[in-house]
Amino acid sequence: TQVLVYFAVAKLGDDPTDGVTDMNPEGLTAAHGKWAEAAAERFKNKGLSCKVLDKKAFDAAMFEKLIWISSFMLVGARHPGASVGDVEKNYTGEVSNLMTELADAVSKFEGVEFGPQLPERLCAYARSVAHFPTAVKEFEWRNGYFNELSKEAYKNGETEDPCATHSGYLAELGIGKIIPFPFKGYKEYITEEEMQQQDEILTKFQIKRDEENEKRMKRKQEMEEKRKQERERAESVRKEKQLHEEQGTKARQLEMAKTAAEEETKRSRRQAGTSG
């Protein structure tokens, strides 16, 4: 069971702010899975909204939340001191264009279909948490996802960055482990020196990936050899046990034959004595 949480608490002791907006009065918090109904009921008991969605709708809602936080936090970081409300009010076009770009990239790479007026709906949510501060955090789980889409596009030989504005903002702020990739005609936020650095990074990345693949193959071969040796040892033990059992069986048979012969000799002697 998964829950997409849109209610938030600004600081310890504050009441939660529910994810209810003028464009989504039913609330944005959603649940999916086996215990979704139970989770929604618990939230509603505390005065918080929660709708139950199927997998397709939930995935779209999940990516919308990722697009929202990645966009608003990044644009806010470009304007020091800006709150979520400041971004929505003063940099509407900037953040809306970025959200549209990221939504298009998700649709392309993940096959997710978003509902109409995505930027407007996400800006409406921003108004409900306008006092929240902005900062690019948890890069790997937020903006890092879109940085990976750019990386994959470059490695696949594409000539355009699917998240060009996003990559440019990261470069401008010096955020992220890897600067934007040198796609054809991509010059706005990256210098020639940075382009050279990126080429070196990509070369090292490829070498590292090859080394990791080689290590994985070596580990796989070692595991296969280990399993082969274990099978051979098990087979050897089985055969030894079988041989031991066969030898024991033969020994018992010989002993039984010997005992029977001795008994037969004794009977013959007794009979011979009786006859005499």
Side-chain angles (χ1 to χ4, degrees), residues 174-198:
I175 297 172
K177 297 178 181 178
I178 300 179
I179 59 178
F181 299 90
F183 291 91
K184 182 179 179 181
Y186 188 74
K187 300 288 185 181
E188 185 175 359
Y189 293 102
I190 188 168
T191 65
E192 290 298 327
E193 182 181 358
E194 289 172 329
M195 293 274 280
Q196 179 62 34
Q197 291 174 350
Q198 184 61 31

Side-chain angles (χ1 to χ4, degrees), residues 117-145:
Q117 296 184 291
L118 182 143
E120 291 82 359
R121 288 187 287 104
L122 295 183
C123 281
Y125 172 64
R127 290 193 292 273
S128 72
V129 288
H131 59 293
F132 274 60
T134 60
V136 177
K137 299 179 180 179
E138 300 179 8
F139 182 82
E140 181 180 0
W141 310 112
R142 295 179 181 179
N143 298 82
Y145 167 79

Side-chain angles (χ1 to χ4, degrees), residues 258-273:
K258 181 180 178 182
T259 301
E262 290 175 350
E263 289 294 330
E264 182 61 28
T265 301
K266 290 178 182 178
R267 281 197 298 274
S268 297
R269 288 176 180 174
R270 284 198 295 271
Q271 291 175 357

